[in-house]
Every structure is written in C-alpha cells, then in structure tokens.
Amino acid sequence: MINVFEDLVSNRHKNAAEWKNKGRKVFGYFCTYVPEEIIYAAGIIPVRIMGGSEDITHADVHLPSYICSFSRSCYDLALKRCYDYLDGVVFPYTCDTIVSLYNIWKADIPTPYVGFVDPLCAKTETARKYFREEVARFKGSLENYLGKEISEDSLRESIRTYNENRRLLKKVYELRKGPQPLLSGVEVLDIVRSSMLTPKDEHNSLLGSLLDRISEREDPPEPGVRILVSGSVIYDPEVLRMIEDSGALIVADDLCTGTRYFWDLVNTNSSPLVGIADRYYERIPCPCNYPPEKRLEHIMTLVKDYDVEAVIFTLQKFCDPHLFDMPFMEEKLKEAEIPSLRLETEHVTAPLGPLKTRIEAFLETIR
Amino acid sequence: MASKHYMEAHEAKKQGRPVTWITGYDPVEILYAMDIAVVYPENYSALCAVTQTAPKFIEAAERMGYSSDLCSYARNTIGTTFEEGAPLGGLAPPDFLVVARKFCKTHVKWWQVLSRRFNCPLFIIDAPYVPEDEKEYHVEHYVSQLEDLIAFLEERTGRKMDYDKLREVVKLSDRASMLWDEIMALRKNSPCPIGAADVLSCMFAIVTLPGTQTAVDFYERLLSEVKERVKNKIGVIPEENYRLLWDNIVLWYNVGLSNYFHKYGAVFVLEPYTMVWSGRLDPSNPLESLARKYMAPFINLKNRADVLVELCKQYRVDGAVMHSNRSCKFLSLLQYELKDILMEKLGIPSLIIEADHCDGRAYSDAQIKMRIDAFMEMLG
C-alpha cells in the first residue's frame, strides 16, 4: 500500500520511458515555481527533475564545486543521458544556480523545448501583473511548440485534478497529527515526491486507495520525538531516515519536496490562467525570492497543529537562499522556545557519521 | 575619492539628508536626482578587502550564523554593522534600502537581512531576467518598477521628483559612460596604455557616481592622460608579448596579482567586469533608457558569449584568465561554457582559477602562481 509510492520514485526513468512508448510527451521541470497545471492541460506529463544517489562523475567538468549537490547531480544525470526521454524542460528563475543551469542545459543538453518562467521577488501589484503575463506567455510558447491550442476547459480540468491532489496530500498529512502517526517522514517524502513524478490523475487514485486502507495498517511507525524538517529539495531520503532511526519521528515539514509543493490550492473563482498565476504568486514562499517571515509563520502553524517538539533544518551546502534566512529562523525559534538543529548535507556519498552523532546529541537534549 | 564619498554620507546623515544603500547595477541616477546620499556596500567590502580589514568582519558575521559559503561581500558588510572598528567609521546607517533583483538573488537576500538589521523599509526593483533577447515587455516592466521606485522615494523623503533634474543627471551619467567607453577602447592599442590594476583603481566613479559632475571631470582628465600615453606609445609594460582577458571580479585582497603576469610580457587589456558599468542614456527619455541600461540583457549565456567573442577579437586577446569566484555564482557558473566557446570560436585558451573576491583567508598565493606559470608557459 505504501511501497507503491517508493517504487514510483525509484522507477521514475523507466516509467517515463514507458509513457513515451505509449505516445505521451514528458516534460521535466525544476523547482516548484513552474505552473505545472498548464503543462498537464496540454496533455504532457510533467515530472520534476531530481538528483540521484549515484556518484557525480560527469558534471564537475562543467560546474564548479561550490554549488549545491542537487544541481550538480541533476546535471550529471542529464549528461549521463538519464533524461534523454524528455521532450521539454522548464526552468524558473528561483536562484542563481538554477538560472545558470538553465543557460547551461540549453547549450549542452539537446532538448526539443526549453522553457523559462520568471517569478519575481516583490509582493507588489506590478509583480503580480507581470507574473500573470509571464504565465500567459508560457502557455503561448507551449502552444507554439505543440502547434495546438490549450483550451480553457482543459485548463479547468487540470486545475481540478491538481487541486484534488493537493487536498488528498493534505489528508495524508492529517494522518501524522495524533500521538500515533500512521506514516513516517521517509514514507511521506516518497508520497510527495511520487506526486511530482506521476500523472496527477493516477496519483490521485493511489492516494485515494491509501487513504481508504491506511487505518488498517498493522505496522505504523514507532512514535518518537516529534520533528518538523525544513529545507529545500530532499532528493535522497538518507538524512530523514537517519533522523527517524535515532528515536525521532518526522511529523511535518517545510520542504519543497513537502508542504511547499502542494499546500496552496488554485482559486477556481478566477479565470484559469489568473487563478494559476496567483496561486504561485501567493503560495508559501521559497526563500529564493522572498523574506522568511511568511515561511516562519507557516512553520509556526505546523508546529502547533502537529505537536512538533523540535525543528531540524536539512540544508544543502552552498544553498544561499536558505543560508541567508538561517540566523533569523534560528533566532525566532529560540524566542519561541522551540529547539532547532542546522544540518548541512552534501551529495549522498559524503560521510554521514558526523551528522548522525549531531542528530543523536540533539535528540538527547529534547527527551 | 572613495573615502570622501563615504565620509559625505556620514555628513549627510548628520544633516538629516536621507541615506540609502544600493548594489552595483542599480539605477543610482534616480537617487542622485532626488538628492539622496547613496553608498554601495559591495564597493565598501572591496575597500575592506584592499585594506586587509575584511577578515575580522567576515568572521563576525559567521559567528552570528551566516554561513562561510555565503557571498563574502555580504558577510563583510553584515559584520561591519555589528563589529566595532570598520574602516571610515563604517557605512552611514540607511534610512531605507533599495535593491534591484536582476541576475543576482544574493543581492535580494542580503538586502532582506539589512532591512531587518536596520528595521527600515526595503524597495525591491523587481527587474526581469532576460533569458534570450531583450523584449519590449521586459523594458515596460522595468519602467513601471522605476515609477514605483520614484513613488516610494517621494513618500519616504516627502519630496517630489524633479524631472528636469533627472534629465540633467542622466545627461551627466551618459557623458561619464561615453568617456569610460572611450578610455576602455584605447586599450585596443598596442602597447596597451592602461592595465588592470589602474583600471580597477579608476572604476569607482563609473560604478558609484554616474550622474555626477565629479565622475565626468575625473574621466575627462583620465581620458586625456591615456590618450597622451597612446600618442607617445607608452604601454603598461615595455614589451608586450601577450594580451590577456580577465573574467569576473578581481581578488580585492590581492589587486597586484595582475602585475605578476608582467614578467611574461603579458598584460590585461580587457576585463568585462570593468567594462559593463557604462551604459548610454537618452536624457529625453530618462526612465526607458535607465531600464535598458540596468536590465543587463548581456548576462545570459548567449549574449555574454557573443559579447565576449566580439571583444576578444577587437582587443586581440591571446589568452583568458577566469576567476571562478566562490562568492559570485551568476558570474562564475557559466565560465566553463565560456572557456569552451573561446577555444572553439577563436582558439583562445583559458585558465580557470578558483578563489574569492573579498575573503582571502583560504587564498594560497603560491598555488595560484604555480598555475599561472604553467598556463603562461603553455601560451608560450
């Protein structure tokens, strides 16, 4: 019942190749600021580009060492031709590394369609207007590539399917609230990541059957210190597994492979394009563009709703946007008397022993 | 000139004139037109590095939880706002902050930190990133941002923008740019009349003072001096064997590094980093021309490569030295691509050296020079 999500993550390249064989188009995208609803409405399957656990062997000839291992790993997989099945790839300007990767990908990785969307930084009406136009331009460029129109009806249908996925994921998160959460953090990570890697209608059915059957679960995770993890993309669950193997249980998150991906719904009262644009403009923000106050509020709400005892920041080394926010986040959590721990992770092959010692020592102080 | 500028900001503060902090490549002309005192933390951090005082402030920021992987300009300025003893009495505290988001998100994150630190309002000029060629909607959006900025400044200062004054400032800025371009163009001559170290020490005005008479006067004098050197065939070094390109910001704690190349008869004739600051403006259309200047459409790979290839031809470059700058991802990440392009299109070899623009703590002079020696022998 739960393994199916893990399998979707592990078999993501194989699955995509099968969709291709069936005549479907597949697009990759970076970050959670690409309006996927539009890609899906065009009949294309959007999949998030993620790093892998393999050694980085090819990318370091093209990229310096002082950028996040996520970007290096994604580009490494592209150079190793793991993403050859992609008909298109779409980048937003989130951080300086991702926008550089956009330029490099366009020059080096032959891909039929390379798209770009620019979510701005300021919370002004001028910025809102620009992003609405940007979303319309993105739709236009997709239509141009496909040689057909993306209808208003298909956009509405796509929004409906996406909103349904978001509602179901929120229900999954509800299962973590009581004293005996029914899912572990590692399992939930696979559930959310698989949502990014599977056509949303299929994923909705899988979530539906999970929710129907989960109460019968005979082996729920061992309760432990209730943790919220905060950070960017977790493309390898090893760090979360280590936290949960040390006597803690992850019950909530502020991750872009977690709540920041699905927490906000598209408002269906506006026209589809405006609804989609505004959803990304108003969502729980990623630190790339926005100051940390709203994200902190989100964390504080989750801490209360999920009885969180401590926060663990799982950051990618060299991730500037998160690192700039850290002193503020740590100070505010301290003021609220919520213990926090900052972990910086490198690619999965980096030695994990020292991290484990720090996690255990931190959890010791909470028990 | 730089110390005077920073002291003037302190003076302005005392007299109750508003002070603001901005970053390189922000439309400073608008602030000058509104008689606002402006300081550049980036330039100030370079100054701290040149005077070898930066490590103390960088360490102060790190103690406060700012990771050592963050931009060292940012760490240094954040440090100087907490630690005693900053050069020139530190930077005059801002009344409000302005930053343009264009190609460097670090600017925005850093200014968010400063805004909390000084508990003062922050205006973000939300410039669009130009992924390929500049489009009209990019320009229109930038102009609307400038209009929002002017409204913000009017509200903060209680004064109205005087558009005649703005046109005057824009005219002066255009004049400074024209002079700067002319000086840079004289470096096409062989022997090259002015080298990297001198250009660096003269770029303060084009970065921070465009729109002032001071900048125009300074570059008029510099231009006639450089012309004189060309006329008399006075070069940076007596015998010029190699003409080099420097890519990215320099190592401010070791500005003399460019002189090390002299022993090989090599001279830097071109640094995109020093050239990008100029931008021609049209006083009859100030906002739109400022938008076109500061949107930096050259920054994406295609445009940056085209510009670089063209410049290398014009300046007859033999080799490129690229500083892979740990503190500046947007300038550094594309260098491997640029290196390949220079080789493929022009047969120009490049040396990539990894260092940092402001934090010299991990810098190893011997190691870097060994790599330079090997590169120069290969060029030989």
Side-chain angles (χ1 to χ4, degrees), chain A residues 2 15 49 59 153 164 170 190 259 335:
Chain A
I2 294 154
N15 292 343
I49 297 194
D153 281 348
E164 179 63 9
K170 281 192 165 182
D190 281 335
T259 58
E335 279 172 26

Side-chain angles (χ1 to χ4, degrees), chain A residues 16-205:
Chain A
E18 275 170 29
W19 301 326
K20 288 279 293 186
N21 284 338
K22 287 181 193 154
R24 298 291 301 270
K25 279 191 172 9
V26 182
F27 267 31
Y29 66 91
F30 278 86
C31 302
T32 53
Y33 276 88
V34 172
E36 268 184 74
E37 292 89 339
I38 297 175
I39 302 174
Y40 187 82
I44 301 167
I45 300 171
V47 294
R48 183 163 180 185
I49 297 194
M50 302 221 191
S53 47
E54 302 86 340
D55 284 351
I56 296 172
T57 50
H58 290 44
D60 289 345
V61 188
H62 301 260
L63 291 168
S65 58
Y66 48 82
I67 63 166
C68 67
S69 57
F70 168 73
S71 297
R72 285 165 51 228
S73 175
C74 289
Y75 187 59
D76 193 62
L77 293 180
L79 287 173
K80 288 174 183 159
R81 316 201 57 168
C82 291
Y83 283 114
D84 274 9
Y85 55 81
L86 293 179
D87 298 288
V89 57
V90 187
F91 292 78
Y93 182 10
T94 42
C95 68
D96 296 342
T97 300
I98 293 296
V99 84
S100 299
L101 207 53
Y102 157 71
N103 282 282
I104 294 171
W105 187 295
K106 204 163 53 166
D108 289 352
I109 310 290
T111 315
Y113 174 94
V114 182
F116 179 79
V117 285
D118 193 356
L120 297 173
C121 288
K123 285 286 171 229
T124 60
E125 286 312 302
T126 315
R128 182 196 290 272
K129 182 173 159 278
Y130 185 83
F131 192 61
R132 284 181 182 175
E133 291 163 1
E134 188 74 354
V135 165
R137 279 190 291 270
F138 174 57
K139 172 174 166 274
S141 116
L142 260 188
E143 289 173 331
N144 207 18
Y145 159 73
L146 291 168
K148 67 164 196 193
E149 207 185 315
I150 302 169
S151 72
E152 187 110 346
D153 281 348
S154 64
L155 283 170
R156 283 191 203 283
E157 182 55 27
S158 171
I159 291 171
R160 205 193 56 74
T161 310
Y162 268 70
N163 275 352
E164 179 63 9
N165 193 252
R166 290 163 180 147
R167 279 191 208 98
L168 291 169
L169 285 171
K170 281 192 165 182
K171 279 192 189 159
V172 168
Y173 271 55
E174 290 289 315
L175 305 171
R176 313 165 84 182
K177 275 187 172 169
Q180 174 57 68
L182 292 179
L183 292 162
S184 73
V186 172
E187 288 165 342
V188 171
L189 179 74
D190 281 335
I191 292 172
V192 179
R193 287 197 303 165
S194 63
S195 163
M196 302 169 153
L197 299 165
T198 314
K200 282 286 186 288
D201 51 350
E202 272 177 45
H203 201 257
N204 286 347
S205 322

Side-chain angles (χ1 to χ4, degrees), chain B residues 131-201:
Chain B
E132 280 171 14
D133 296 323
E134 179 182 292
K135 299 272 170 53
E136 277 316 297
Y137 67 79
H138 294 130
V139 182
E140 278 166 26
H141 177 70
Y142 201 107
V143 169
S144 75
Q145 288 293 292
L146 293 181
E147 285 161 353
D148 288 356
L149 170 66
I150 292 169
F152 169 84
L153 296 174
E154 287 178 339
E155 196 196 316
R156 304 310 311 177
T157 60
R159 296 196 301 255
K160 282 277 164 203
M161 167 64 98
D162 174 350
Y163 283 88
D164 288 332
K165 176 87 187 290
L166 178 63
R167 277 186 276 274
E168 245 172 71
V169 169
V170 160
K171 197 172 161 188
L172 284 171
S173 172
D174 178 62
R175 173 90 189 132
S177 284
M178 197 190 81
L179 291 164
W180 184 251
D181 289 348
E182 213 176 318
I183 296 163
M184 292 294 123
L186 288 172
R187 299 173 82 195
K188 289 177 194 169
N189 285 290
S190 197
C192 178
I194 174 169
D198 286 327
V199 171
L200 287 168
S201 67

Side-chain angles (χ1 to χ4, degrees), chain A residues 126-127 137 241 245 277 286 314:
Chain A
T126 315
R137 279 190 291 270
R241 188 166 291 133
D245 285 349
C286 151
T314 51

